[in-house]
Amino acid sequence: MAAYEELVKRAIASGKHYEDLPPRIQNVLSPYEWKTRVKEWCVQRGVSWSGSLAGSVCSEQEYYDDLIKSYKSWLRVFPYHLSDYVCRVQRTTPFKYYCDLLFNVLRDEKSYDRIPNFTAADIMRIMGIGRNEYISTLNACKAKKLMWRVNKGLARDFL
């Protein structure tokens, strides 16, 4: 099974379309599964939609929506290398991206230490929120109790 997975990864990395795959892989993998794996592989690596195999398996809007959603859940740095599309078409600026990311971390009441170092450094550069500011914001939100869980605007006001 490991050899099969390796063949699939190599095929995606080389940019092969489903029709160009060897018959033994096509028998095991449906076209839908192939599209899903291609999209996941491209999102994990943060490649551009137009310059990758993702352009043949999903729409541009769908790809970048999934990419931003995944990056936020993985607490990754804003994808500056894709900012021409992300900022211009999706209207997601680094500030807005980090506001949403910090809101999700606050909502889950995670420690600031759970944020990766490069992401935390970029948050500090863009928003001016470091570890101490995060802790005071989290405590202020906890003081509001139930209202904070329901109201996203309350957390945004503290940010």
Side-chain angles (χ1 to χ4, degrees):
M1 200 63 154
Y4 157 76
E5 290 295 325
E6 188 60 35
L7 284 173
V8 170
K9 287 180 183 178
R10 256 193 251 143
I12 293 171
S14 66
K16 289 186 179 177
H17 293 277
Y18 183 77
E19 300 79 31
D20 300 334
L21 293 175
R24 63 183 175 162
I25 293 180
Q26 286 184 0
N27 291 338
V28 178
L29 204 63
S30 72
Y32 175 77
E33 289 175 303
W34 173 253
K35 289 179 181 183
T36 304
R37 286 187 182 217
V38 166
K39 191 166 137 188
E40 286 174 3
W41 188 89
C42 292
V43 164
Q44 286 175 351
R45 282 151 185 82
V47 297
S48 164
W49 176 84
S50 59
S52 69
L53 196 54
S56 65
V57 299
C58 63
S59 70
E60 191 173 21
Q61 183 69 36
E62 176 188 351
Y63 175 75
Y64 284 112
D65 285 343
D66 285 351
L67 184 126
I68 293 296
K69 188 176 94 180
S70 297
Y71 269 40
K72 284 179 188 175
S73 70
W74 298 331
L75 305 175
R76 278 192 168 175
V77 176
F78 180 79
Y80 289 105
H81 63 291
L82 303 172
S83 64
D84 58 333
Y85 182 86
V86 173
C87 293
R88 184 176 42 83
V89 177
Q90 283 198 309
R91 304 272 190 238
T92 301
T93 62
F95 185 83
K96 183 179 175 190
Y97 174 84
Y98 287 128
C99 274
D100 292 342
L101 187 141
L102 277 178
F103 171 75
N104 291 334
V105 173
L106 282 169
R107 184 190 63 219
D108 297 340
E109 296 182 13
K110 291 182 181 175
S111 167
Y112 186 79
D113 299 330
R114 299 286 302 247
I115 300 172
N117 288 339
F118 286 108
T119 305
D122 206 32
I123 289 172
M124 181 66 179
R125 184 179 68 85
I126 299 290
M127 300 181 70
I129 296 177
R131 187 175 193 284
N132 294 336
E133 293 83 6
Y134 175 83
I135 291 170
S136 66
T137 302
L138 181 62
N139 290 335
C141 288
K142 281 182 180 179
K144 299 290 183 184
K145 296 269 184 198
L146 294 175
M147 213 168 134
W148 133 256
R149 289 242 181 240
V150 178
N151 191 356
K152 189 174 186 177
L154 182 65
R156 289 198 188 273
D157 289 344
F158 284 120
L159 290 175

